[in-house]
Amino acid sequence: MRSRILGRLAVGIATLAAALVPTLAAPPTPAAPAAAATFPVYTNERSAVRPTLEQYGATRSTVVYDSFHFTCDTSACYSNGGALPAEATYEAKVKEYMGSGQFNGASTAPVVLDFEDIELTQVATGQTATNAYNLWRQLLTWTHNAAPSAPVCHYGYDWLTQNQNLIKQLHDDDLLNCFAPRAYFYAGQSLTDWDSDFDAAISRDTAMAPTHPIYPYVSPTAFNGGGYVAGNTWAHMFSKVKASADGVVVWEPSATDSSACAWVSQNSYEMGAITGTAGSGPLSATAAPPSGNCTVTRGSQVAVPVTLTNTSSSTTAATSMQTLSGLPAGVHGYDTTWQYWNVPSLAPGASWTTTLYLQTDTSETAGTVLLHIKTGISDTRWSFIVV
């Protein structure tokens, strides 16, 4: 992936008797954010309770939806079937989508225009396409005015080639600075078929504007009602985007129940690899919430058995559990303490178990939380869903 970027020049108990539960210590000063990723992962999140992927190292970015309902025909282009919006009205809407009430995207993160009814691969060739192209030129100019520090992409069906010369001209004139092909996984789709569409989009975009970065759109839920994608599907998709693209956008992710556990766990692993914060050391930790899956209940206190296993070929020295420090980005708060702190020496393959007493705030709006379970000689990432 590095060579591609250089070539582009750019880029335990669920309920505990009060007498048995230790007083929970308040967490210390918030920890530093996750390390910056060399492969940028952007997230479009705006729901009241959201996964909060920035705690894993993602950056919030903006998608501008077509609230104007743009259409074009052989005569003209329209908004809601009538006159097009004034410049000030349009730019105010872009800023609204970038603002804290919507996606709260970073000022330098991509702004992606999702105007599918005038997307040039979707409109008829000829005069309709010409009218749509001219409208795109106007809207892109206004978008740059509203978001002067952001690269601007248009969300598209990039494995299709209709009106490709017009799209190329928008890139040649730097009105479009990046590509945002849709790369969602569909229910019942094979990975081979997904690969085919993805590879076609990358090939088209690279040939069209080789210096402009490609940020495919992916989602943890399969389209057409397929539920959350399997962990190995998410791993496959990340492997492809890291090999062929310049970053990725995770579109409107959610994690509302235990069916999301596989993708949350896999996404945590992928982000650990991308940000250089993957697990390390000879002791591997596994956590088992009373729910029997990866979920804990908002506003509750739970006892989570945590087992450390020596995965190395040598006996480990005695060590100790570390305080689970800080509040990950976007997380309001949690309190933790350990039942037993002192970890004994462990022979290869041997295990030892303690209990993590975990309390999440009633007001917590993060749908998932990433914790690092650390000893003096190891670090294991653990992600759970707050329901």
Side-chain angles (χ1 to χ4, degrees):
M1 186 58 228
R2 183 175 300 276
S3 62
R4 172 178 171 78
I5 295 174
L6 291 175
R8 286 164 168 255
L9 303 178
V11 121
I13 303 170
T15 302
L16 300 174
L20 297 179
V21 181
T23 300
L24 298 178
T29 303
T38 55
F39 178 84
V41 176
Y42 298 104
T43 182
N44 290 162
E45 299 182 42
R46 61 174 177 168
S47 60
V49 176
R50 55 189 188 82
T52 322
L53 297 189
E54 61 263 38
Q55 65 183 291
Y56 301 83
T59 299
R60 294 184 74 171
S61 64
T62 300
V63 58
V64 178
Y65 291 128
D66 189 8
S67 60
F68 296 104
H69 303 101
F70 292 119
T71 56
C72 296
D73 59 24
T74 56
S75 298
C77 292
Y78 316 92
S79 171
N80 291 302
L84 294 172
E87 177 179 359
T89 302
Y90 176 85
E91 292 182 13
K93 182 59 68 174
V94 172
K95 292 177 180 178
E96 177 187 333
Y97 276 111
M98 295 180 71
S100 59
Q102 291 275 357
F103 292 103
N104 201 24
S107 63
T108 58
V111 171
V112 177
L113 306 182
D114 183 5
F115 302 160
E116 296 181 51
D117 286 342
I118 60 168
E119 207 282 317
L120 286 165
T121 62
Q122 305 301 301
V123 301
T125 58
Q127 190 59 47
T128 297
T130 299
N131 290 340
Y133 167 78
N134 289 330
L135 176 58
W136 273 107
R137 294 191 68 87
Q138 184 66 80
L139 297 178
L140 289 167
T141 298
W142 291 350
T143 304
H144 283 290
N145 292 340
S149 300
V152 178
C153 328
H154 83 302
Y155 172 84
Y157 301 73
D158 294 20
W159 59 90
L160 302 176
T161 57
Q162 185 164 276
N163 299 312
Q164 181 165 306
N165 61 316
L166 300 178
I167 301 171
K168 184 178 187 304
Q169 190 61 54
L170 296 174
H171 283 275
D172 287 346
D173 293 342
D174 276 329
L175 289 169
L176 285 171
N177 318 115
C178 47
F179 295 93
R182 52 183 291 148
Y184 304 125
F185 186 79
Y186 283 79
Q189 185 180 29
S190 70
L191 290 177
T192 299
D193 286 343
W194 183 87
D195 286 351
S196 179
D197 283 347
F198 179 83
D199 290 342
I202 296 296
S203 177
R204 188 208 75 154
D205 293 350
T206 300
M208 185 179 296
T211 66
H212 286 183
I214 304 173
Y215 303 127
Y217 260 65
V218 298
S219 172
T221 52
F223 270 44
N224 301 335
Y228 293 99
V229 300
N232 60 353
T233 299
W234 197 247
H236 178 89
M237 294 167 74
F238 258 67
S239 177
K240 287 287 286 186
V241 296
K242 287 193 294 183
S244 302
D246 300 286
V248 67
V249 183
V250 183
W251 176 70
E252 298 254 25
S254 67
T256 57
D257 56 47
S258 61
S259 65
C261 285
W263 97 259
V264 168
S265 176
Q266 188 65 42
N267 188 69
S268 175
Y269 171 83
E270 300 294 344
M271 293 303 300
I274 287 170
T275 60
T277 58
S280 60
L283 301 180
S284 177
T286 55
S291 61
N293 49 57
C294 77
T295 65
V296 302
T297 302
R298 181 174 286 99
S300 71
Q301 179 176 261
V302 295
V304 182
V306 175
T307 299
L308 301 180
T309 301
N310 181 3
T311 60
S312 74
S313 59
S314 302
T315 298
T316 57
T319 185
S320 61
M321 304 304 299
Q322 304 295 301
T323 300
L324 297 179
S325 61
L327 304 178
V331 177
H332 293 300
Y334 59 86
D335 294 312
T336 62
T337 193
W338 292 103
Q339 178 187 24
Y340 305 119
W341 293 81
N342 295 322
V343 183
S345 173
L346 294 174
S351 297
W352 173 84
T353 297
T354 185
T355 297
L356 172 67
Y357 299 106
L358 170 66
Q359 170 96 40
T360 58
D361 288 354
T362 301
S363 60
E364 179 56 68
T365 59
T368 75
V369 175
L370 169 66
L371 297 180
H372 284 263
I373 299 175
K374 294 183 179 182
T375 70
I377 57 175
S378 63
D379 178 0
T380 300
R381 297 164 66 94
W382 176 46
S383 298
F384 60 89
I385 299 174
V386 185
V387 297

